[in-house]
Amino acid sequence: IGESIDLLCNIEMRPSEGDLPRGITRKYYMAARQVQKDPLSYLAAKALIERVKPGDKVLIVTGVRYPPILPFGETDGPIGAAAMARALDLALGARSIITVEEDNKEPTVATIRAAGCYLRAPEELDDVPGACAIDYYPLGPEKGPEHARYLVEKYKPAAIIFCEKHGPNEYGYCHTVTGGPLDKKEMANTWYLLDEAEKHGILTIGTGDGGNEIVNGLIFEAARTISKWGDKCLCGCGGGTVTTAKTDIFVAASISNWGLYGVAAMLAYLKGDVDIMHDIETERRMVEECAHYGSVDGSSMRPKPKVDGISMDGGRALVTLLREI
């Protein structure tokens, strides 16, 4: 089952137009399998079942921001986060806290609600069955470590999950997947959560599709050769786009959202309830609401109901097949 889910979530479907790289999905997946051995969706779902108990908190980290091009983020990220929060509630009785930059508030809140998650204030998490909350991670390297400590001390999460979140390269610089520089002052420096997780023995899981997202440090050397800009970026820092930030488990996928779809599907299988995996109508609502409130399709860079150039029909077909598996 894990093999089938993994293969489906790693099918190359990106359109040839636009700047998004094509032809690397299978290479990332094979590199991740070589390091981790077992099917990736199975590893993540099994670890979550073993570590997350009813009422436990899970921190989900997402949101891409680099103004003025992406002030409200991409559709890749918040949708996977919301789908994961829904699955964790139904499968494990967990309470999720989704953290994003505050500029991403409107599309993220809309997507969480479209997923059917019961969005409540953080102080109500323990009192309201099925509740999840949203947190706004401050911008810049100065506030990054402080907020990481705050989140871990406040919620004591059993797991931290990253979905499409940029991380620094070996020289501390962040990049887009197409090689351009990102200003750490204009983004949430969420990789400091990895330090806190290590200190407190917290499970970390990540999903990424381009080498520059938090998680790819687990296959750092391989990723530098796979990505076009992996070892030599466009900003001149000399470090390339691939991040050194790594999680305990790397769920590779052709689109980051789909990595967490695969984990949700595996949870559904292991728990014997197909509806832990969301259906096509929930998929439609999430994608439409995320785009409606300003998040963009990463291929066209427009607020269209697509994800990395993949149409609504393509995403719904993937959800259908995951439920069938």
Side-chain angles (χ1 to χ4, degrees):
I1 297 296
E3 292 277 2
S4 298
I5 289 171
D6 278 12
L7 291 174
L8 181 58
C9 292
N10 282 275
I11 290 177
E12 180 70 74
M13 278 196 263
R14 282 175 173 166
S16 56
E17 64 270 13
D19 293 331
L20 292 179
R22 185 175 170 87
I24 61 173
T25 295
R26 184 70 177 172
K27 295 176 182 178
Y28 276 123
Y29 176 70
M30 294 308 296
R33 281 297 299 271
Q34 185 174 8
V35 171
Q36 299 174 99
K37 308 306 180 186
D38 287 330
L40 311 180
S41 56
Y42 167 74
L43 284 173
K46 180 174 179 287
L48 287 167
I49 289 172
E50 290 172 348
R51 302 282 288 272
V52 180
K53 307 307 177 189
D56 279 354
K57 312 301 190 302
V58 174
L59 186 63
I60 306 176
V61 188
T62 193
V64 174
R65 180 184 190 273
Y66 46 98
I69 300 171
L70 280 182
F72 313 120
E74 293 184 30
T75 52
D76 192 15
I79 297 171
M84 191 78 261
R86 177 188 178 279
L88 288 169
D89 172 33
L90 296 176
L92 305 175
R95 306 284 191 266
S96 293
I97 303 95
I98 297 177
T99 184
V100 296
E101 291 99 337
E102 192 164 5
D103 281 356
N104 291 352
K105 174 181 179 178
E106 289 192 4
T108 305
V109 166
T111 305
I112 292 169
R113 288 175 172 154
C117 296
Y118 200 15
L119 187 60
R120 302 298 295 266
E123 58 268 20
E124 297 176 315
L125 282 174
D126 292 327
D127 301 321
V128 179
C132 72
I134 190 166
D135 168 80
Y136 302 116
Y137 209 104
L139 306 181
E142 293 79 12
K143 296 182 178 180
E146 178 184 347
H147 199 70
R149 287 191 296 271
Y150 160 78
L151 288 173
V152 168
E153 290 172 4
K154 179 177 177 64
Y155 295 111
K156 297 177 175 56
I160 303 175
I161 301 173
F162 296 83
C163 183
E164 186 70 5
K165 198 66 183 168
H166 293 127
N169 68 8
E170 60 184 322
Y171 298 129
Y173 294 95
C174 297
H175 299 83
T176 69
V177 71
T178 52
L182 294 174
D183 186 350
K184 289 194 291 187
K185 295 179 181 178
E186 293 294 336
M187 59 191 291
N189 292 202
T190 58
W191 51 88
Y192 289 105
L193 284 163
L194 295 171
D195 298 330
E196 294 300 316
E198 185 175 5
K199 289 178 189 175
H200 297 277
I202 299 168
L203 171 69
T204 57
I205 296 170
T207 179
D209 55 37
N212 60 329
E213 306 95 349
I214 292 171
V215 68
N216 282 282
L218 199 63
I219 58 164
F220 179 73
E221 292 300 335
R224 281 167 61 84
T225 66
I226 293 168
S227 173
K228 178 180 179 180
W229 307 106
D231 61 354
K232 189 176 182 181
C233 58
L234 296 175
C235 77
C237 74
T241 60
V242 175
T243 180
T244 58
K246 61 183 179 180
T247 53
D248 297 325
I249 298 172
F250 174 17
V251 184
S254 55
I255 293 174
S256 294
N257 287 344
W258 293 1
L260 295 189
Y261 287 10
V263 178
M266 196 68 212
L267 284 171
Y269 173 72
L270 293 173
K271 288 293 185 177
D273 181 2
V274 68
D275 289 323
I276 289 170
M277 175 69 207
H278 67 277
D279 61 19
I280 60 172
E281 285 307 301
T282 305
E283 174 74 0
R284 177 189 62 78
R285 289 195 303 271
M286 289 194 296
V287 176
E288 287 182 345
E289 287 295 286
C290 195
H292 176 76
Y293 283 93
S295 286
V296 303
D297 159 42
S299 177
S300 66
M301 302 303 284
R302 298 290 186 272
K304 297 179 179 180
K306 293 183 174 184
V307 183
D308 281 359
I310 305 302
S311 69
M312 178 77 73
D313 285 345
R316 283 157 57 97
L318 178 94
V319 168
T320 297
L321 291 173
L322 285 173
R323 289 173 61 91
E324 291 294 327
I325 291 171

